[in-house]
């Protein structure tokens, strides 16, 4: 299957998770495209893919603010062609913040509203991939089963 992974990441933590997911899904025999949100445009983003994974860190204090590059993409998210697509969300965050990995919930809700089929509850990682390999890999394996 053709899988799209799009991520927005400022310090590289969500990017590291995205790379690990891409490698594992690729090793399972799927054709994976990994895209930094800074290089993505919303129009028809999901076209030609069987499933899409979206990763985005949160940077607000009182309320959820999405990572800058992903936020730009999100402004035109209606145009990505999400209807009927399998999708799931992930992020690195810091559990000391009130809205731990809050962007995951925001994006997931928007995807549902656009008619996407959410494969799994979003993956929320406290810190980076290296400290959470087992959780990330287990989530990834469930996604692979859902494809
Ligand atoms: C000003 C500020 C606000 C933040 N807000 C949140 C937040 O609301 N929720 C959260 O889980 N993490 C929050 N974080 C932590 C970052 O999201 C976290 O360091 C994350 O790993 C960054 O991922 P990235 O490198 O992929 O951008 C915040 C960090 C800063 C400095």
């Amino acid at each position: 299957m053709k899988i799209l992974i799009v991520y927005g990441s400022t310090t590289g933590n969500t990017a590291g998770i995205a790379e690990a997911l891409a490698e594992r899904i690729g090793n399972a025999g799927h054709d994976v495209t990994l895209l930094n949100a800074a290089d993505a445009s919303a129009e028809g983003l999901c076209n030609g893919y069987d499933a899409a994974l979206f990763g985005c860190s949160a940077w607000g204090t009182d309320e959820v603010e999405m990572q800058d590059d992903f936020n730009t993409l999100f402004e035109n998210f209606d145009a990505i062609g999400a209807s009927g697509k399998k999708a799931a969300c992930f992020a690195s965050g810091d559990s000391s913040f009130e809205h731990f990995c809050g962007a995951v919930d925001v994006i997931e809700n928007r995807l549902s509203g656009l008619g996407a089929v959410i494969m799994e509850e979003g993956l929320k990682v406290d810190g980076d991939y290296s400290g959470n390999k087992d959780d990330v890999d287990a989530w990834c394996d469930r996604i692979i089963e859902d494809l």
Side-chain angles (χ1 to χ4, degrees):
M1 289 200 180
K2 283 178 72 75
I3 315 301
L4 175 67
I5 303 178
V6 185
Y7 65 90
S9 179
T10 299
T11 65
N13 291 340
T14 304
I17 297 167
E19 283 159 15
L21 295 171
E23 187 178 350
R24 200 167 178 89
I25 295 170
N27 287 342
H30 298 287
D31 179 2
V32 181
T33 299
L34 181 62
L35 195 56
N36 189 324
D39 304 319
S41 84
E43 193 66 44
L45 183 63
C46 295
N47 292 353
Y49 293 99
D50 299 295
L53 304 182
F54 296 96
C56 177
S57 52
W59 290 91
T61 40
D62 295 337
E63 56 184 44
V64 176
E65 281 176 33
M66 275 191 276
Q67 192 274 344
D68 284 345
D69 304 314
F70 203 98
N71 196 45
T72 303
L73 189 67
F74 204 65
E75 285 169 4
N76 198 19
F77 219 55
D78 291 8
I80 65 170
S83 180
K85 295 282 178 193
K86 290 180 174 180
C89 300
F90 62 94
S92 162
D94 179 338
S95 59
S96 65
F97 283 87
E98 185 185 347
H99 303 289
F100 174 48
C101 291
V104 163
D105 303 317
V106 174
I107 300 165
E108 220 169 65
N109 285 339
R110 186 79 171 269
L111 285 167
S112 292
L114 293 172
V117 180
I118 303 298
M119 293 184 280
E120 294 286 335
E121 192 178 319
L123 172 68
K124 299 181 176 182
V125 176
D126 199 359
D128 65 3
Y129 175 64
S130 65
N132 296 276
K133 282 184 183 170
D134 290 350
D135 289 345
V136 175
D137 291 351
W139 186 83
C140 189
D141 288 345
R142 292 201 298 278
I143 291 289
I144 291 166
E145 281 179 23
D146 294 335
L147 291 173

